Amino acid sequence: MSLFDCKILDLPKISDPRGNLTFIENKSQIPFDIRRIYYLYDVPGGSERGGHAHKELSQLIIAISGSFDVVLNDGDNQKRFHLNRSYEGLYVCPMIWRELDNFSSGSVCLVLASNFYDEADYFRNYDEFISGRGGK
Ligand code: TYD
């Protein structure tokens, strides 16, 4: 799996003058079963999150409110995604180093994950991540 497997997915959007609605159903909109949801909020300006990779976890990252950037790196290539739409999700496959920054004031980052929290699934050291990918 590489950076080229990671992409912005368009989620269904029910437009309505009373307010828009987006939904996500297991496997219909995203390529994995959802086992966990978490969200980042009250992120102070200038903060950075992430700074790790997952061995087996797949994720969908959504800017539910406001905006932020996600920088993805597979050891060979790097790409910065600017997320600012509630109806778009960034699919991140396993073995991708990610960093989140440039959070706007009041932004909320929703993450759908394919498995429960497991610290053993993390690479928190970049060099170990590169070694885990088989080196450069
Ligand atoms: P971490 O994944 O490093 O956060 P981020 O990638 O957003 O910067 O997690 C931060 C802390 O929260 C860490 O101590 C582990 C804990 N945590 C859980 O207990 N459960 C979870 O589902 C997540 C995502 C993190």
Side-chain angles (χ1 to χ4, degrees):
M1 291 222 158
S2 79
L3 189 52
F4 300 105
D5 296 300
C6 303
K7 51 185 169 243
I8 300 270
L9 302 181
D10 277 327
L11 303 169
K13 179 182 176 190
I14 313 292
S15 299
D16 191 303
R18 299 170 300 159
N20 300 329
L21 183 152
T22 286
F23 61 90
I24 301 168
E25 291 176 336
N26 226 20
K27 281 192 173 159
S28 302
Q29 282 83 31
I30 56 176
F32 58 84
D33 279 329
I34 303 161
R35 278 207 154 144
R36 176 168 51 114
I37 296 170
Y38 65 93
Y39 38 96
L40 300 171
Y41 54 98
D42 292 346
V43 180
S47 280
E48 295 178 6
R49 302 287 318 212
H52 55 72
H54 287 284
K55 297 171 187 171
E56 295 186 356
L57 195 73
S58 294
Q59 293 183 316
L60 190 81
I61 304 176
I62 304 170
I64 282 291
S65 182
S67 65
F68 52 85
D69 290 358
V70 185
V71 181
L72 300 183
N73 182 323
D74 64 5
D76 293 316
N77 296 289
Q78 178 164 301
K79 189 170 177 186
R80 178 176 288 270
F81 294 86
H82 182 62
L83 299 185
N84 64 350
R85 297 192 175 104
S86 312
Y87 57 88
E88 287 181 352
L90 176 61
Y91 170 65
V92 183
C93 65
M95 292 302 287
I96 302 288
W97 190 266
R98 86 286 315 278
E99 288 168 4
L100 286 74
D101 62 17
N102 201 22
F103 285 88
S104 69
S105 172
S107 56
V108 179
C109 169
L110 178 73
V111 183
L112 312 183
S114 63
N115 215 337
F116 303 119
Y117 171 72
D118 177 9
E119 187 60 34
D121 185 63
Y122 282 73
F123 280 111
R124 292 198 181 270
N125 176 285
Y126 186 75
D127 291 338
E128 288 173 12
F129 160 66
I130 294 297
S131 299
R133 282 198 69 99
K136 278 190 110 169

